[in-house]
Amino acid sequence: MDELLHTLLTMSAAATVGALAVLVLRLFLKKAPRWITCLLWLAVFLRLVCPVGLSLPVSLPAVPTVQEITAPILSPAPAAEAPAAELPAVQDSPAPAQDVDPAPLVLALWGAGSAGVLLWALWSARRLRRQVAEAVPAEPGVWESDQIPAPFLLGWVRPRIYLPAELTGQARCYVLLHERAHLRRRDHWAKLLAFLALALHWWNPVIHLAYRLFCRDLEVACDQAVIRDFSPQERAGYAETLLRLGQTPPPCQAGALAFAETETKHRIHHVLEFKRPPLLVALVALAVCALTVVLILSNPGDHGRQLDGVSITSAYVLDGGLPVELPEESLDALIPLLKEVVQGPYTTAERLTPQDGDVVLTSQTGGTVFYLQDTPSTRLVRVNHDGYSATVKVASGSSSLALSQDYARWRGDLNQYLTQDLADQVRSLATPYLGNNSACGAILEALHLSAVAGSYTFSLQTSAEPYGITIYLEQPASQEDPLLMAYLLDVSTLFLDLVDNAKTVTWQQGGQVLAVFDQKTDTMDQEAFQDAYAQLRADAGAYRAALS
């Protein structure tokens, strides 16, 4: 149920931004053929009824992605410096008695509104059918009746043109040209799609505005198709017919295409002022239309990273108690493997405890979080949180990952990244001079100092040898804490190795000296540096675990 509501809201949000974009484009396409804006509106309505968008590296800017209507369980942790407090154990704890899951109620109201709109359409169609029940055929596809005040096109499978019996002469000719143009252009199907989109998203005022403007553009486009080869006198006659029939009430039916049903004054102005646009204007407008249609139909900000209907915007692996951002290429290789897993159903689980080795994938809102675990067994867990309780579900297809050679290869590559590549990235930050303030700060952050020990400042002593750095910790710390001191020693050892002319590292907190490390050793080789960095991460994890 949550997934259905999420899909509907995402469709509506994406189409709303698309509709607003079309509204802006209409201001610049006044001289372009109106069928071009009709295509733009159709792309919006297609987005409203089609849950699957194009997976392209582009989309309309600022298109919102609605992940959940719930509060987030975790804040996204895109960097390795995210604090451990953001990784709590998740349990199925009961919500307070007064709090109710809003999703079923929202869906019930949504469905009731959509049903009401569709029932009105069916009622009006039946009423109109009774009105023309005694119509008689006048010519192929054309019927006449003395029970209708205005001409219209009705029907989808076998559409018919209905004319008032008293409509004769040149006015009748103009009306038939107009309605037959609708038939050639399949406008009755286009309007059906637009009305279904409106019925599905009846609560959205932007969609109501889009539907109204689409109907107006549809009629103007049809007028332009009819009068493009007319003489000025014929256009005047066509406009006069619009004026006369525009004074009669249109049929009360969502699917009918009446000759003068919308904005008669606006259409008469277009008819009298119509000029065929230059070819260049038409080509430019068509190019803009094609690009906009692609952007509207593409998934907003997706870039192909969707899992079970959720756009993944942050991914990291827990290692040594620290969340380490997953490399882009690693995430791109993982998503296709997990898409196969989520094809099947989920089973409810009672508890989830994040642990080392877990891969965590989150959306922008954080309302949905996926955990990929290998301990005690390989499984993909989806967690939805409503602010009071967590719903923990395990993908039934998780067992297929344990047998997958591609997944085993992916885990091997991830392990190499954590044990070797990550250390090599830190080693690449080496600098020959302690006086490079930004380089020293980058090294300290790469050693996870703020994530482990909290906020800090530092000063560099470069006026006389021995050159050194003093780091001032802001959070309470004690030299009697062996886990903290082990971590500070690791940081100092690696810092002295990475800064060639640094000789000492002094640690202070609250004006008191915690420790001074000056055991400068020979420059480590690659393997020794990887071992030292692994020791730092282990000591950091142990200290963070003790704090929690």
Side-chain angles (χ1 to χ4, degrees):
M1 187 169 292
D2 288 344
E3 288 81 0
L4 174 60
L5 187 57
H6 150 256
T7 300
L8 289 170
L9 288 173
T10 299
M11 290 160 56
S12 191
T16 297
V17 175
L20 294 175
V22 176
L23 283 173
V24 174
L25 282 175
R26 286 176 86 251
L27 301 176
F28 299 94
L29 295 175
K30 291 182 178 180
K31 295 184 178 180
R34 194 48 59 94
W35 62 265
I36 290 180
T37 55
C38 291
L39 285 181
L40 294 176
W41 288 126
L42 285 176
V44 171
F45 295 130
L46 185 60
R47 196 70 176 90
L48 285 167
V49 299
C50 181
V52 180
L54 301 175
S55 294
L56 299 175
V58 292
S59 63
L60 280 174
V63 175
T65 303
V66 181
Q67 302 296 351
E68 301 291 337
I69 57 168
T70 57
I73 180 175
L74 292 175
S75 299
E81 288 76 19
E86 294 182 314
L87 301 170
V90 178
Q91 301 185 45
D92 243 353
S93 56
Q98 68 272 22
D99 295 301
V100 180
D101 183 5
L105 178 60
V106 173
L107 279 175
L109 291 174
W110 193 321
S114 296
V117 175
L118 292 174
L119 286 174
W120 170 82
L122 292 174
W123 172 81
S124 61
R126 183 178 179 184
R127 178 184 175 188
L128 193 56
R129 290 288 184 185
R130 286 202 305 265
Q131 241 182 315
V132 297
E134 297 181 1
V136 295
E139 55 185 278
V142 180
W143 295 66
E144 292 182 346
S145 171
D146 57 3
Q147 301 296 316
I148 57 175
F152 56 86
L153 173 69
L154 180 65
W156 295 302
V157 180
R158 291 191 298 272
R160 292 177 177 179
I161 299 172
Y162 290 93
L163 303 178
E166 66 274 10
L167 186 65
T168 59
Q170 192 62 42
R172 188 178 190 276
C173 178
Y174 289 145
V175 169
L176 287 177
L177 287 174
H178 180 93
E179 300 300 345
R180 283 169 176 160
H182 275 312
L183 280 174
R184 287 196 310 272
R185 293 154 46 87
R186 303 292 189 270
D187 287 344
H188 53 299
W189 286 106
K191 192 170 182 181
L192 174 62
L193 170 65
F195 184 77
L196 290 177
L198 178 67
L200 186 60
H201 301 270
W202 57 270
W203 56 271
N204 191 331
V206 175
I207 305 308
H208 282 269
L209 177 61
Y211 180 78
R212 178 179 177 182
L213 293 177
F214 168 70
C215 291
R216 177 198 288 185
D217 288 349
L218 203 65
E219 295 298 333
V220 173
C222 194
D223 290 337
Q224 291 178 349
V226 172
I227 67 172
R228 60 186 174 184
D229 295 321
F230 274 17
S231 67
Q233 292 76 15
E234 289 172 321
R235 289 178 192 170
Y238 188 89
E240 182 182 354
T241 304
L242 269 175
L243 179 61
R244 178 158 64 90
L245 294 176
Q247 299 173 1
T248 58
C252 180
Q253 209 280 319
L257 288 163
F259 176 71
E261 70 170 303
T262 60
E263 304 287 345
T264 303
K265 180 179 178 181
H266 172 80
R267 289 172 58 193
I268 291 174
H269 172 76
H270 269 274
V271 168
L272 296 177
E273 300 294 329
F274 175 74
K275 294 180 181 178
R276 298 189 70 168
L279 179 60
L280 180 60
V281 172
L283 291 177
V284 171
L286 184 59
V288 171
C289 171
L291 177 60
T292 307
V293 167
V294 171
L295 293 177
I296 291 173
L297 296 179
S298 62
N299 282 326
D302 175 25
H303 304 286
R305 292 179 180 171
Q306 276 209 352
L307 185 60
D308 205 16
V310 178
S311 292
I312 302 302
T313 56
S314 174
Y316 52 94
V317 58
L318 304 183
D319 181 62
L322 293 168
V324 180
E325 185 178 10
L326 214 60
E328 295 287 324
E329 60 275 12
S330 181
L331 177 59
D332 289 337
L334 177 63
I335 293 296
L337 298 176
L338 298 184
K339 284 184 176 180
E340 298 296 327
V341 173
V342 300
Q343 295 299 318
Y346 286 90
T347 57
T348 303
E350 294 184 355
R351 180 177 177 84
L352 169 69
T353 302
Q355 53 194 316
D356 266 3
D358 286 2
V359 177
V360 185
L361 304 101
T362 71
S363 63
Q364 186 174 1
T365 64
T368 297
V369 182
F370 293 94
Y371 288 84
L372 177 59
Q373 299 185 316
D374 276 351
T375 305
S377 61
T378 301
R379 64 178 191 167
L380 178 67
V381 184
R382 174 171 176 154
V383 180
N384 296 332
H385 203 273
D386 61 9
Y388 301 99
S389 63
T391 303
V392 184
K393 301 183 295 183
V394 180
S396 300
S398 297
S399 57
S400 63
L401 284 175
L403 305 176
S404 171
Q405 294 183 354
D406 291 336
Y407 177 67
R409 191 178 304 111
W410 183 87
R411 273 290 184 180
D413 294 340
L414 179 61
N415 183 65
Q416 176 179 321
Y417 173 76
L418 294 173
T419 58
Q420 300 178 22
D421 299 347
L422 202 56
D424 292 343
Q425 291 179 16
V426 175
R427 195 171 183 229
S428 68
L429 299 175
T431 177
Y433 304 113
L434 184 66
N436 191 333
N437 191 78
S438 61
C440 293
I443 290 173
L444 292 176
E445 280 307 288
L447 300 177
H448 317 292
L449 184 56
S450 64
V452 177
S455 302
Y456 65 92
T457 58
F458 65 88
S459 62
L460 303 175
Q461 292 81 51
T462 59
S463 57
E465 293 189 359
Y467 302 136
I469 181 174
T470 301
I471 303 172
Y472 308 93
L473 300 179
E474 296 181 7
Q475 295 184 6
S478 171
Q479 59 186 176
E480 303 300 324
D481 187 338
L483 296 178
L484 172 63
M485 299 310 294
Y487 169 71
L488 298 184
L489 174 60
D490 295 335
V491 173
S492 303
T493 301
L494 291 170
F495 184 87
L496 292 173
D497 182 74
L498 292 171
V499 183
D500 288 350
N501 67 340
K503 301 299 181 183
T504 64
V505 178
T506 303
W507 298 88
Q508 292 189 20
Q509 196 281 323
Q512 301 295 321
V513 176
L514 293 176
V516 179
F517 299 105
D518 56 4
Q519 296 90 349
K520 179 84 171 183
T521 59
D522 293 336
T523 302
M524 302 182 198
D525 60 19
Q526 183 182 35
E527 184 176 354
F529 189 92
Q530 291 173 353
D531 291 341
Y533 184 72
Q535 184 62 48
L536 174 137
R537 296 189 62 79
D539 289 340
Y543 176 65
R544 284 163 57 96
L547 290 179
S548 60

